[in-house]
């Protein structure tokens, strides 16, 4: 199960999704993260908590992306989030 | 594939894109909360400070609830101001509750109340930016201007914030009581490598909560105000930059200061398009310099925001300004018209005279620059 840490808050401004570092992580990140639509969908699910397979399913359902590409995208994105300590 | 962008520049790029989108769809992206009217300084030109008042009109929970509603409607940027916001006993509680909502918070402060406790709070939960009002370059000027010899404390605190890595901007308001310090405040800002902005135009008080006999003593004439503004520009820029600016002012080419001018009589700034202001008593306005009419606690955030947007759509600025060759650098805007004339569609005489005087000074410099061989 992957889950977004409490060090960021997901904000929706119009149809744009943004991650705002809060609390102590705002010391390390002085800006905000803007998200692509695919990333926004994943983040929305990670906010509650989700398995990798669930993420891949949602991405293939919502976007015109085949399963292999979706799996690769999800893995890359999860790795990136883990690198910057957000999950 | 890129999934995320990281954006720090509040003036450009992604934030600019969000502002543009919010303006066109009427999202209240940017708010200002005037947390209090109280202040430990007593500056004669201040438009809000109610001297001797000890009352807070809105509680910490009121501000938190308003922020929650505003965030639901799309507020991302929030400026906390006053009075002096740090004077509130419950500032920490308010600040932390707002930070938790995922708001990008800036703070307007005189930087004199940074106790060890406050420093700890700001170091741990840094705001996106601190805007510091700097009123002079020594304790004597501070005493004269604000009634408190606070320069040493303020300057130490600015340096502390800078060393802590918190983005700082200095705002310097010039009146008859501190105009001799213009160059010295620029020297201070340059020495510690902090950007400085200066204002010599004092909006006449339209929000008259307390009259202050010192107010009129502090005002510069329109001509003096123009001279001080040009002195600031000359001293803060390189000679080439300054002469270039003078040439652009003389020939009516757009300068940096274009946000406030009218366009077909409509307001050009973002007030009432994607930004709003809530004063210390909970009234919403499009701009802090124009009295708020809409009570957020009784009417609710959404209704107030709709009313403010409608109010701004109906505002027409003076028709004379539309065709004025100097509008590219004149600071005319809805607030200056209202504060000077009580209506939005009459030319604000003081602002107008200040602009014409600046142009005259710029013309003289342009001629001089040709003599200097800088073209
Ligand atoms: S100089 Fe006067 S007429 Fe021209 S834009 Fe400014 S206020 Fe309007
Ligand atoms: S009305 Fe004037 S002072 Fe108010 S936000 Fe607009 S440009 Fe600024």
């Amino acid at each position: 199960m992957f889950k977004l840490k409490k060090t960021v808050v997901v904000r929706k401004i119009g149809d744009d999704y943004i991650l705002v570092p809060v609390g102590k992580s705002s010391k390390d990140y002085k800006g905000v993260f803007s998200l692509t639509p695919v990333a926004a969908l994943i983040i929305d699910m990670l906010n509650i908590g989700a398995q990798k397979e669930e993420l891949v399913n949602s991405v293939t359902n919502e976007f015109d992306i085949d399963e292999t590409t979706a799996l690769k995208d999800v893995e890359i994105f999860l790795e990136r989030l883990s690198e910057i300590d957000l999950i | 594939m890129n999934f995320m962008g990281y954006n720090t520049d509040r003036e450009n790029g992604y934030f600019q894109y969000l502002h543009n989108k919010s303006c066109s769809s009427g999202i209240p992206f940017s708010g200002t909360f005037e947390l209090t009217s109280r202040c430990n300084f007593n500056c004669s030109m201040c438009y809000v400070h109610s001297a001797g008042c000890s009352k807070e009109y809105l509680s910490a929970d009121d501000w938190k609830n308003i922020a929650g509603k505003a965030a639901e409607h799309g507020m991302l940027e929030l400026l906390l101001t006053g009075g002096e916001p740090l004077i509130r006993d419950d500032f920490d509680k308010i600040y932390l509750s707002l930070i938790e909502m995922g708001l990008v918070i800036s703070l307007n402060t005189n930087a004199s109340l940074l106790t060890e406790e406050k420093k700890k709070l700001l170091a741990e939960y840094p705001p996106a930016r601190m805007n510091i009002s700097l009123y002079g370059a020594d304790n004597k000027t501070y005493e004269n201007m604000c009634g408190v010899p606070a320069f040493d404390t303020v300057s130490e605190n600015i340096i502390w914030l800078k060393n802590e890595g918190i983005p700082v901007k200095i705002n310097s308001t010039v009146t008859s009581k501190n105009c001799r310090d213009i160059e010295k405040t620029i020297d201070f800002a340059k020495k510690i490598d902090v950007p400085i902005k200066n204002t010599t135009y004092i909006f006449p008080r339209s929000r008259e909560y307390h009259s202050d006999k010192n107010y009129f003593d502090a005002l510069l004439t329109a001509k003096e105000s123009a001279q001080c503004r040009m002195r600031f520009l000359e001293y803060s820029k390189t000679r080439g930059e300054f002469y270039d600016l003078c040439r652009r002012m003389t020939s009516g080419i757009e300068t940096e200061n274009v946000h406030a001018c009218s366009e077909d009589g409509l307001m050009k700034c973002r007030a009432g398009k994607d930004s709003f202001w809530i004063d210390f008593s909970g009234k919403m306005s499009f701009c802090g310099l124009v009295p708020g009419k809409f009570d957020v606690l009784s009417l609710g955030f959404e209704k107030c925001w709709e009313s403010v947007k409608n109010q701004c759509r109906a505002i027409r600025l003076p028709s004379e300004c539309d065709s004025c060759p100097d509008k590219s650098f004149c600071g005319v805007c809805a607030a200056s018209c209202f504060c000077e004339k009580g209506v939005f569609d009459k030319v604000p005489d003081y602002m107008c005279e200040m602009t014409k005087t600046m142009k005259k000074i710029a013309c003289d410099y342009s001629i001089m620059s040709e003599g200097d061989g800088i073209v």
Side-chain angles (χ1 to χ4, degrees):
Chain A
M1 167 85 92
F2 294 94
K3 196 164 178 355
L4 202 62
K5 286 196 175 167
K6 296 253 178 275
T7 50
V8 277
V9 170
V10 185
R11 298 292 320 279
K12 187 168 182 280
I13 313 290
D15 48 15
D16 286 278
Y17 278 79
I18 299 162
L19 285 185
V20 183
V22 292
K24 298 192 169 107
S25 72
S26 57
K27 256 187 116 154
D28 304 322
Y29 296 106
K30 294 200 162 41
V32 301
F33 298 96
S34 48
L35 303 173
T36 62
V38 174
L41 174 74
I42 298 174
I43 287 287
D44 230 9
M45 294 178 73
L46 291 176
N47 214 4
I48 306 159
Q51 304 287 355
K52 197 198 286 180
E53 298 69 36
E54 293 174 298
L55 298 172
V56 175
N57 280 341
S58 292
V59 171
T60 49
N61 286 340
E62 294 289 325
F63 298 92
D64 188 18
I65 300 177
D66 64 75
E67 208 179 315
T68 322
T69 316
L71 177 64
K72 211 175 115 210
D73 283 356
V74 166
E75 281 177 344
I76 294 172
F77 189 40
L78 289 175
E79 202 182 304
R80 175 82 186 110
L81 290 172
S82 157
E83 263 167 31
I84 55 176
D85 203 25
L86 296 189
I87 50 173
Chain B
M1 184 170 175
N2 271 336
F3 295 96
M4 283 200 301
Y6 180 53
N7 313 279
T8 50
D9 185 350
R10 294 268 308 280
E11 315 294 337
N12 299 295
Y14 185 63
F15 275 87
Q16 190 59 48
Y17 153 85
L18 288 175
H19 270 299
N20 292 344
K21 258 184 99 168
S22 301
C23 282
S24 55
S25 43
I27 292 172
F29 179 75
S30 192
T32 301
F33 289 179
E34 202 176 85
L35 293 183
T36 181
S37 65
R38 296 163 58 225
C39 186
N40 57 320
F41 286 1
N42 193 14
C43 306
S44 35
M45 76 297 168
C46 182
Y47 62 91
V48 57
H49 175 208
S50 41
C53 170
S54 59
K55 182 177 165 188
E56 298 302 1
Y57 287 73
L58 266 61
S59 69
D61 285 339
D62 289 334
W63 285 117
K64 184 182 168 188
N65 293 336
I66 295 171
K69 285 281 168 232
E72 271 173 32
H73 286 86
M75 178 172 76
L76 180 67
E77 294 183 336
L78 175 60
L79 172 65
L80 300 178
T81 188
E84 169 50 50
L86 296 180
I87 206 171
R88 278 190 73 132
D89 293 337
D90 54 4
F91 175 83
D92 300 13
K93 183 180 170 196
I94 298 174
Y95 182 70
L96 287 173
S97 70
L98 300 174
I99 287 262
E100 271 168 26
M101 287 181 200
L103 298 166
V104 175
I105 297 178
S106 300
L107 201 56
N108 276 359
T109 173
N110 62 32
S112 70
L113 297 177
L114 289 189
T115 56
E116 287 311 310
E117 212 178 78
K118 287 282 173 294
K119 284 182 180 170
K120 197 163 166 265
L121 174 79
L122 296 172
E124 232 170 290
Y125 304 95
R129 189 164 72 202
M130 301 275 285
N131 304 314
I132 315 286
S133 307
L134 188 71
Y135 294 113
D138 58 39
N139 283 343
K140 207 165 151 237
T141 306
Y142 257 77
E143 177 127 49
N144 196 18
M145 176 93 171
C146 322
V148 185
F151 176 77
D152 292 346
T153 311
V154 169
S155 55
E156 272 170 30
N157 286 338
I158 296 176
I159 293 166
W160 178 84
L161 289 163
K162 168 91 182 150
N163 291 341
E164 202 55 39
I166 297 172
V168 181
K169 199 175 99 192
I170 292 176
N171 292 325
S172 170
T173 302
V174 178
T175 72
S176 65
K177 301 193 174 194
N178 66 349
C179 56
R180 77 188 77 77
D181 278 12
I182 290 178
E183 287 79 7
K184 282 191 267 176
T185 51
I186 299 170
D187 287 341
F188 171 73
K190 277 187 181 163
K191 196 169 133 205
I192 59 168
D193 191 24
V194 165
I196 180 167
K197 234 181 78 182
N198 126 317
T199 309
T200 63
Y201 177 79
I202 307 291
F203 286 84
R205 288 173 170 184
S206 62
R207 297 171 48 185
E208 197 65 64
Y209 299 109
H210 270 264
S211 53
D212 181 342
K213 63 181 173 38
N214 290 327
Y215 172 63
F216 292 100
D217 293 349
L219 293 185
L220 297 165
T221 65
K223 283 199 172 62
E224 288 165 344
S225 182
Q227 283 157 357
C228 285
R229 178 78 190 135
M230 294 305 279
R231 256 173 69 199
F232 174 84
L233 291 170
E234 183 180 12
Y235 199 74
S236 56
K237 292 181 181 295
T238 64
R239 205 155 69 125
E241 281 167 357
F242 178 66
Y243 282 164
D244 183 50
L245 178 68
C246 288
R247 273 193 296 271
R248 282 187 288 137
M249 285 165 76
T250 310
S251 55
I253 300 169
E254 291 217 333
T255 63
E256 300 157 27
N257 175 27
V258 291
H259 66 283
C261 291
S262 63
E263 202 179 51
D264 307 327
L266 296 169
M267 287 169 66
K268 204 176 175 186
C269 67
R270 294 196 295 246
K273 292 193 189 89
D274 82 341
S275 67
F276 64 90
W277 183 293
I278 299 177
D279 76 10
F280 65 85
S281 68
K283 302 267 191 324
M284 190 191 285
S285 175
F286 57 91
C287 167
L289 295 152
V290 177
K293 290 208 269 190
F294 310 105
D295 185 56
V296 183
L297 291 187
S298 59
L299 297 170
F301 179 86
E302 192 174 3
K303 210 163 178 188
C304 292
W305 173 236
E306 287 307 317
S307 305
V308 159
K309 282 193 288 186
N310 288 335
Q311 184 192 13
C312 288
R313 279 188 209 114
I315 288 175
R316 291 294 174 276
L317 299 181
S319 53
E320 294 90 328
C321 298
D322 257 358
S323 52
C324 173
D326 304 325
K327 72 173 185 177
S328 65
F329 68 95
C330 175
V332 65
C333 69
S336 55
C337 294
F338 187 83
C339 293
E340 284 199 34
K341 308 299 275 190
V343 288
F344 296 111
D345 59 357
K346 286 211 166 74
V347 172
D349 304 319
Y350 182 106
M351 172 70 82
C352 199
E353 190 185 345
M354 179 181 161
T355 303
K356 303 293 180 201
T357 310
M358 282 172 67
K359 180 163 180 178
K360 195 175 168 307
I361 299 170
C363 279
D364 292 346
Y365 273 113
S366 297
I367 295 166
M368 222 160 74
S369 75
E370 279 161 29
D372 276 1
I374 299 169
V375 283

